[in-house]
Amino acid sequence: MLYQPVNGCRAISVAIEHEHNAETAQNEAWRLSLLNSPLKVLVTYPEYGEGALLLNSYATVLEAVDTFRDFHKFRRQLVVFGFSEYSAKSIEWQYYLYSRAGFTRCEVTA
């Protein structure tokens, strides 16, 4: 029996989870880790100063579920933090890519 696509989709190239509450986004990181896609993206909005702690908690989840130790190579994990102040009308975006050593900040140039 051949694999039948669901709604015309045979594979997921990029999986994206968007979670407003950065403290509960650890659950979203776990859910994303279950998918077999080349890129998984978690977008969330922590408070200033919380980023390092949250990245460590997300890394702990990924280390626990990375059975074949290939997330850093074949199933990339990207965390996108959006920082803003309530009075500000803009968001500062920061990007972090997972590796065996944890998350590393990525600089984006236009």
Side-chain angles (χ1 to χ4, degrees), residues 21-36:
N21 186 346
E23 293 179 12
T24 61
Q26 186 177 25
N27 296 329
E28 310 310 322
W30 176 76
R31 283 189 192 113
L32 280 171
S33 72
L34 299 176
L35 299 174
N36 186 20

Side-chain angles (χ1 to χ4, degrees), residues 10-44:
R10 290 192 180 273
I12 299 172
S13 297
V14 179
I16 301 171
E17 271 290 348
H18 184 261
E19 176 59 48
H20 285 282
N21 186 346
E23 293 179 12
T24 61
Q26 186 177 25
N27 296 329
E28 310 310 322
W30 176 76
R31 283 189 192 113
L32 280 171
S33 72
L34 299 176
L35 299 174
N36 186 20
S37 69
L39 178 61
K40 292 164 261 205
V41 182
L42 173 62
V43 181
T44 191

Side-chain angles (χ1 to χ4, degrees), residues 4 41 67 100 104 106:
Q4 295 297 314
V41 182
T67 305
R100 286 184 176 177
T104 303
C106 302

Side-chain angles (χ1 to χ4, degrees), residues 6-80:
V6 177
N7 294 329
C9 180
R10 290 192 180 273
I12 299 172
S13 297
V14 179
I16 301 171
E17 271 290 348
H18 184 261
E19 176 59 48
H20 285 282
N21 186 346
E23 293 179 12
T24 61
Q26 186 177 25
N27 296 329
E28 310 310 322
W30 176 76
R31 283 189 192 113
L32 280 171
S33 72
L34 299 176
L35 299 174
N36 186 20
S37 69
L39 178 61
K40 292 164 261 205
V41 182
L42 173 62
V43 181
T44 191
Y45 305 88
E47 297 293 325
Y48 283 103
E50 287 184 333
L53 180 65
L54 292 170
L55 288 172
N56 285 336
S57 73
Y58 303 159
T60 300
V61 169
L62 297 177
E63 288 167 11
V65 298
D66 188 7
T67 305
F68 299 107
R69 303 290 180 236
D70 64 354
F71 279 2
H72 70 286
K73 195 171 182 180
F74 297 116
R75 291 184 271 275
R76 308 299 295 262
Q77 311 278 331
L78 179 68
V79 171
V80 179

